[in-house]
Amino acid sequence: MRRPLVAGNWKMHGTRASVAELIEGLRCLALPGNIDVAVFPPCLFIPQVIDGLAGKSITVGAQNCAMQSQLGALTGEIAASQLADAGCSLVLVGHSERRLMLGEHDDLLCRKFAAAQVSGLVPLLCVGETLAQRDAGQALSVIKQQVGIVVERLGIDAFARAVLAYEPVWAIGSGLTASAQQAQDVHAAIRAQLAAENAAVAGTVRILYGGSVKAANAAELFGMPDIDGGLIGGASLNADEFGAICRAAGS
Ligand code: PGA
């Protein structure tokens, strides 16, 4: 049985004051004991969030890391080893906003994924198709390629210490959610792709769904057999809504 994970991706939101409020709201939540919960604040707020959530069973991750794990001359980047030193345990890799708006390509993503693992962080690899790709019937082939490149470069065993998230680009921040069945079909395809390499790894890796998850649709999505929780954007900025999503994952 895979333990569900609900992860909040705060993206480029928050001020010191609003983050303090959100921390307070998270501290007050009664979280189910049978799930894992994580938040991904903007880097600037990571120490504030780690300190603020001390004693609460919510882990903290980063939204990005450098492609090299070691310290060095790379202006503006933050090494996975620095994130680990700061107390992070996870890092997002390959979010569609970075793939599409910042031009992050597969080669770079593989290096970030590897750098995270070398530093002891768990990479959370995001994959997903655009609306044009889905309309052209290419959703599964696009996702297969996005997952496959990491398997090919880093080996299937890399997924023994990683999390995946299926996030259809057309569902992110749009209010459009994939139907539970649409999401399940993709999750099952990803798991089958991994199982062809190593059934044990495929059986244990958590595959989250992301894209306009709210308290109102979470239970149906999380009820599908291959959906092991969610990566939550907008709704994670409201502690009560996030708490309700966590409860849906725990029930
Ligand atoms: P959303 O974002 O929940 O606001 O759609 C999800 C994500 O991008 O991780």
Coordinates of all heavy atoms in Angstrom, one line a residue, residues 29-93:
L29 N -3.9 23.0 11.6 CA -4.6 21.9 11.0 C -4.4 20.6 11.7 O -3.3 20.2 12.2 CB -4.1 21.7 9.6 CG -4.3 22.8 8.5 CD1 -3.6 22.4 7.2 CD2 -5.8 23.0 8.4
A30 N -5.5 19.8 11.8 CA -5.5 18.4 12.3 C -5.3 17.6 11.1 O -6.2 17.4 10.3 CB -6.8 18.1 13.0
L31 N -4.0 17.1 10.9 CA -3.7 16.3 9.7 C -3.9 14.8 9.9 O -3.6 14.3 11.0 CB -2.3 16.6 9.2 CG -2.0 18.1 8.8 CD1 -0.5 18.3 8.7 CD2 -2.8 18.4 7.5
P32 N -4.4 14.1 8.9 CA -4.5 12.7 9.1 C -3.1 12.0 9.3 O -2.1 12.5 8.7 CB -5.1 12.2 7.7 CG -5.4 13.4 6.9 CD -4.8 14.6 7.6
G33 N -3.1 11.0 10.1 CA -1.8 10.4 10.4 C -1.3 9.4 9.4 O -0.2 8.9 9.4
N34 N -2.2 9.1 8.4 CA -1.8 8.1 7.4 C -1.4 8.6 6.1 O -1.4 7.9 5.1 CB -3.0 7.1 7.2 CG -4.3 7.8 6.8 OD1 -4.4 9.1 6.9 ND2 -5.2 7.1 6.2
I35 N -1.0 9.9 6.1 CA -0.5 10.5 4.8 C 0.7 11.3 5.1 O 1.0 11.7 6.3 CB -1.6 11.4 4.1 CG1 -1.8 12.7 4.9 CG2 -2.9 10.7 3.9 CD1 -2.5 13.8 4.1
D36 N 1.5 11.6 4.1 CA 2.6 12.6 4.2 C 2.2 13.9 3.6 O 1.4 13.9 2.6 CB 3.8 12.1 3.4 CG 4.4 10.8 4.0 OD1 4.4 10.7 5.3 OD2 5.0 10.0 3.3
V37 N 2.6 15.0 4.2 CA 2.3 16.3 3.8 C 3.6 17.1 3.6 O 4.5 17.0 4.4 CB 1.4 17.0 4.8 CG1 1.0 18.4 4.3 CG2 0.1 16.2 5.1
A38 N 3.6 17.9 2.5 CA 4.8 18.7 2.2 C 4.4 20.0 1.6 O 3.3 20.1 1.0 CB 5.7 18.0 1.2
V39 N 5.2 21.0 1.8 CA 5.0 22.3 1.2 C 6.3 22.8 0.5 O 7.4 22.5 0.9 CB 4.5 23.4 2.1 CG1 3.1 23.1 2.6 CG2 5.5 23.6 3.3
F40 N 6.1 23.5 -0.6 CA 7.2 24.0 -1.4 C 7.1 25.5 -1.5 O 6.5 26.0 -2.4 CB 7.2 23.4 -2.8 CG 7.4 21.9 -2.9 CD1 6.4 21.0 -2.6 CD2 8.6 21.4 -3.2 CE1 6.6 19.6 -2.6 CE2 8.9 20.0 -3.3 CZ 7.8 19.1 -3.0
P41 N 7.7 26.2 -0.5 CA 7.6 27.7 -0.6 C 8.6 28.2 -1.6 O 9.6 27.5 -1.9 CB 8.0 28.1 0.9 CG 8.3 26.8 1.6 CD 8.4 25.7 0.6
P42 N 8.5 29.5 -1.9 CA 9.6 30.1 -2.6 C 10.9 30.0 -1.8 O 10.8 30.1 -0.5 CB 9.2 31.6 -2.8 CG 7.7 31.6 -2.6 CD 7.4 30.4 -1.7
C43 N 12.0 29.9 -2.4 CA 13.3 29.6 -1.7 C 13.5 30.6 -0.6 O 14.0 30.2 0.5 CB 14.4 29.8 -2.7 SG 15.5 28.4 -2.6
L44 N 13.2 31.9 -0.8 CA 13.5 32.9 0.1 C 12.9 32.6 1.5 O 13.4 33.0 2.5 CB 12.9 34.2 -0.5 CG 13.1 35.5 0.1 CD1 14.6 35.8 0.2 CD2 12.4 36.6 -0.7
F45 N 11.7 31.9 1.5 CA 11.0 31.7 2.7 C 11.2 30.3 3.4 O 10.6 30.0 4.4 CB 9.5 31.8 2.5 CG 9.1 33.2 1.9 CD1 8.4 33.3 0.7 CD2 9.4 34.4 2.6 CE1 8.0 34.5 0.1 CE2 9.1 35.6 2.0 CZ 8.4 35.7 0.8
I46 N 12.1 29.5 2.8 CA 12.3 28.2 3.3 C 12.7 28.1 4.7 O 12.1 27.4 5.5 CB 13.3 27.4 2.3 CG1 12.5 27.0 1.1 CG2 13.9 26.2 3.1 CD1 13.4 26.3 0.0
P47 N 13.7 29.0 5.2 CA 14.1 28.9 6.6 C 12.9 29.3 7.5 O 12.7 28.7 8.5 CB 15.2 29.9 6.7 CG 15.8 30.0 5.3 CD 14.6 29.8 4.4
Q48 N 12.2 30.3 7.1 CA 11.0 30.8 7.9 C 10.0 29.7 8.0 O 9.4 29.5 9.1 CB 10.4 32.0 7.1 CG 9.2 32.6 7.9 CD 8.5 33.7 7.1 OE1 9.0 34.1 6.0 NE2 7.4 34.3 7.6
V49 N 9.8 28.9 6.9 CA 8.7 27.9 6.9 C 9.2 26.7 7.8 O 8.5 26.1 8.6 CB 8.4 27.5 5.5 CG1 7.4 26.3 5.5 CG2 7.7 28.6 4.7
I50 N 10.5 26.3 7.6 CA 11.0 25.2 8.4 C 11.0 25.6 9.9 O 10.5 24.7 10.7 CB 12.5 24.9 7.9 CG1 12.4 24.2 6.5 CG2 13.2 24.0 8.9 CD1 13.8 23.9 5.9
D51 N 11.4 26.8 10.2 CA 11.3 27.1 11.7 C 9.9 27.2 12.1 O 9.5 26.7 13.2 CB 11.9 28.5 11.9 CG 13.5 28.5 11.7 OD1 14.0 27.4 11.6 OD2 14.1 29.6 11.7
G52 N 9.0 27.8 11.3 CA 7.6 27.9 11.7 C 6.8 26.6 11.8 O 5.9 26.6 12.6
L53 N 7.3 25.6 11.1 CA 6.5 24.3 11.1 C 7.2 23.3 12.0 O 6.9 22.1 12.0 CB 6.4 23.8 9.7 CG 5.4 24.6 8.8 CD1 5.4 23.9 7.4 CD2 4.0 24.6 9.4
A54 N 8.2 23.8 12.8 CA 9.0 22.8 13.7 C 8.0 22.1 14.6 O 7.1 22.7 15.1 CB 10.0 23.6 14.5
G55 N 8.1 20.8 14.6 CA 7.2 20.0 15.5 C 6.0 19.6 14.8 O 5.2 18.7 15.3
K56 N 5.7 20.1 13.6 CA 4.5 19.7 12.8 C 4.9 18.7 11.8 O 6.0 18.9 11.2 CB 3.9 21.0 12.2 CG 2.6 20.8 11.5 CD 1.4 21.0 12.5 CE 0.1 20.7 11.9 NZ -1.0 20.5 12.9
S57 N 4.1 17.7 11.5 CA 4.6 16.7 10.5 C 4.3 17.2 9.1 O 3.5 16.5 8.4 CB 4.0 15.4 10.8 OG 2.6 15.5 11.0
I58 N 5.0 18.3 8.7 CA 4.9 18.7 7.3 C 6.3 18.9 6.9 O 7.1 19.7 7.5 CB 4.1 20.1 7.2 CG1 2.7 19.9 7.7 CG2 4.2 20.6 5.8 CD1 1.9 21.2 7.7
T59 N 6.7 18.3 5.8 CA 8.1 18.4 5.3 C 8.1 19.6 4.3 O 7.1 20.0 3.8 CB 8.7 17.2 4.7 OG1 7.7 16.7 3.7 CG2 8.9 16.1 5.7
V60 N 9.3 20.1 4.2 CA 9.5 21.3 3.3 C 10.4 21.0 2.2 O 11.4 20.3 2.3 CB 10.1 22.5 4.2 CG1 10.3 23.7 3.3 CG2 9.1 22.8 5.3
G61 N 10.0 21.4 1.0 CA 10.8 21.2 -0.2 C 11.0 22.5 -0.9 O 10.5 23.5 -0.6
A62 N 11.9 22.4 -2.0 CA 12.2 23.6 -2.8 C 11.6 23.4 -4.2 O 11.3 22.3 -4.6 CB 13.7 23.8 -2.9
Q63 N 11.3 24.5 -4.9 CA 10.7 24.4 -6.2 C 11.7 24.2 -7.3 O 11.3 24.0 -8.4 CB 9.9 25.7 -6.4 CG 8.8 26.0 -5.5 CD 8.2 27.3 -5.6 OE1 8.3 28.0 -6.6 NE2 7.4 27.8 -4.6
N64 N 13.0 24.3 -7.0 CA 14.0 24.2 -8.0 C 15.3 23.9 -7.3 O 15.5 24.3 -6.2 CB 14.1 25.5 -8.8 CG 15.1 25.5 -9.9 OD1 15.3 24.4 -10.6 ND2 15.8 26.6 -10.1
C65 N 16.3 23.3 -8.1 CA 17.7 23.3 -7.6 C 18.6 23.4 -8.8 O 18.1 23.3 -9.9 CB 18.0 22.0 -6.8 SG 18.0 20.5 -7.8
A66 N 19.8 23.7 -8.5 CA 20.8 23.8 -9.6 C 21.1 22.4 -10.2 O 20.8 21.4 -9.6 CB 22.1 24.4 -9.0
M67 N 21.7 22.4 -11.4 CA 21.9 21.2 -12.1 C 23.2 20.5 -11.5 O 23.5 19.3 -11.8 CB 22.1 21.4 -13.6 CG 23.3 22.3 -13.9 SD 23.4 22.6 -15.7 CE 24.8 23.7 -15.7
Q68 N 24.0 21.2 -10.7 CA 25.1 20.6 -10.0 C 24.8 20.6 -8.6 O 24.2 21.5 -8.0 CB 26.4 21.4 -10.4 CG 26.4 22.8 -9.9 CD 27.7 23.5 -10.4 OE1 28.0 23.6 -11.6 NE2 28.4 24.1 -9.4
S69 N 25.3 19.5 -7.9 CA 24.9 19.4 -6.5 C 25.9 20.1 -5.6 O 25.5 20.5 -4.5 CB 24.9 17.9 -6.1 OG 26.1 17.4 -6.2
Q70 N 27.1 20.3 -6.1 CA 28.1 20.9 -5.2 C 28.1 22.4 -5.3 O 27.7 23.0 -6.3 CB 29.5 20.3 -5.6 CG 29.6 18.9 -5.2 CD 29.1 18.6 -3.8 OE1 29.4 19.3 -2.8 NE2 28.2 17.6 -3.7
L71 N 28.7 23.0 -4.3 CA 28.8 24.5 -4.3 C 29.7 24.9 -5.4 O 30.6 24.2 -5.8 CB 29.3 25.0 -2.9 CG 28.6 24.4 -1.7 CD1 29.1 25.0 -0.4 CD2 27.1 24.6 -1.8
G72 N 29.5 26.1 -5.9 CA 30.4 26.6 -6.9 C 30.0 27.9 -7.5 O 29.1 28.6 -7.0
A73 N 30.6 28.2 -8.7 CA 30.4 29.5 -9.3 C 29.2 29.3 -10.3 O 29.3 28.8 -11.4 CB 31.6 29.9 -10.1
L74 N 28.0 29.6 -9.8 CA 26.8 29.5 -10.6 C 25.8 30.6 -10.1 O 24.9 30.3 -9.3 CB 26.2 28.1 -10.6 CG 25.1 27.7 -11.6 CD1 25.6 28.1 -13.0 CD2 24.8 26.3 -11.5
T75 N 26.0 31.8 -10.6 CA 25.3 32.9 -10.0 C 23.7 32.8 -10.1 O 23.2 32.4 -11.2 CB 25.7 34.2 -10.8 OG1 27.1 34.3 -10.7 CG2 25.0 35.4 -10.3
G76 N 23.1 33.0 -9.0 CA 21.6 33.0 -9.0 C 21.0 31.6 -8.7 O 19.8 31.6 -8.5
E77 N 21.8 30.6 -8.7 CA 21.3 29.2 -8.5 C 21.5 28.8 -7.0 O 22.3 29.4 -6.3 CB 21.9 28.2 -9.4 CG 21.5 28.3 -10.8 CD 20.0 28.0 -11.0 OE1 19.7 26.8 -11.1 OE2 19.2 28.9 -11.0
I78 N 20.7 27.8 -6.6 CA 20.9 27.2 -5.3 C 21.1 25.7 -5.4 O 20.4 25.0 -6.1 CB 19.7 27.5 -4.4 CG1 19.5 29.0 -4.3 CG2 19.8 26.9 -3.1 CD1 18.3 29.5 -3.5
A79 N 22.2 25.2 -4.8 CA 22.6 23.8 -5.0 C 21.6 22.9 -4.1 O 21.2 23.3 -3.0 CB 24.0 23.6 -4.6
A80 N 21.4 21.7 -4.6 CA 20.6 20.8 -3.8 C 21.3 20.5 -2.5 O 20.6 20.4 -1.5 CB 20.5 19.5 -4.6
S81 N 22.6 20.5 -2.4 CA 23.2 20.3 -1.1 C 23.0 21.5 -0.2 O 22.9 21.3 1.0 CB 24.8 20.1 -1.3 OG 25.3 21.2 -2.0
Q82 N 22.8 22.7 -0.7 CA 22.5 23.8 0.1 C 21.0 23.7 0.7 O 20.7 24.0 1.8 CB 22.6 25.2 -0.6 CG 24.0 25.5 -0.9 CD 24.1 26.8 -1.8 OE1 23.5 26.8 -2.9 NE2 24.9 27.7 -1.4
L83 N 20.2 23.2 -0.2 CA 18.8 23.0 0.2 C 18.7 21.9 1.3 O 18.0 22.1 2.3 CB 17.9 22.6 -1.0 CG 17.8 23.6 -2.1 CD1 17.1 23.0 -3.3 CD2 17.0 24.8 -1.6
A84 N 19.5 20.9 1.1 CA 19.5 19.8 2.1 C 20.0 20.4 3.5 O 19.5 20.1 4.5 CB 20.4 18.6 1.7
D85 N 21.1 21.2 3.3 CA 21.7 21.8 4.5 C 20.7 22.7 5.3 O 20.7 22.8 6.5 CB 22.9 22.6 4.1 CG 23.6 23.3 5.3 OD1 24.0 22.6 6.2 OD2 23.7 24.5 5.3
A86 N 19.8 23.3 4.5 CA 18.8 24.2 5.1 C 17.6 23.4 5.7 O 16.8 24.0 6.4 CB 18.2 25.2 4.0
G87 N 17.6 22.1 5.4 CA 16.5 21.3 6.1 C 15.4 20.9 5.1 O 14.4 20.3 5.5
C88 N 15.6 21.1 3.8 CA 14.7 20.6 2.8 C 14.8 19.1 2.7 O 15.9 18.5 2.8 CB 14.9 21.2 1.4 SG 14.4 22.9 1.4
S89 N 13.7 18.4 2.3 CA 13.8 17.0 2.0 C 13.4 16.7 0.6 O 13.7 15.5 0.1 CB 13.0 16.2 3.0 OG 12.2 16.9 3.7
L90 N 12.8 17.6 -0.1 CA 12.3 17.3 -1.5 C 12.6 18.5 -2.4 O 12.9 19.6 -1.9 CB 10.7 17.2 -1.4 CG 10.1 16.1 -0.7 CD1 8.8 16.5 0.0 CD2 9.8 14.9 -1.6
V91 N 12.6 18.2 -3.7 CA 12.7 19.3 -4.6 C 11.9 19.0 -5.9 O 11.9 17.9 -6.4 CB 14.2 19.7 -5.0 CG1 14.9 18.5 -5.6 CG2 14.3 20.9 -5.8
L92 N 11.1 20.0 -6.4 CA 10.4 19.8 -7.6 C 11.4 19.8 -8.8 O 12.3 20.6 -8.8 CB 9.4 20.9 -7.9 CG 8.3 21.1 -6.8 CD1 7.3 22.3 -7.3 CD2 7.5 19.9 -6.7
V93 N 11.1 19.0 -9.8 CA 12.0 18.9 -11.0 C 11.0 18.9 -12.2 O 10.1 18.0 -12.2 CB 12.9 17.7 -11.0 CG1 13.7 17.7 -12.3 CG2 13.9 17.8 -9.8

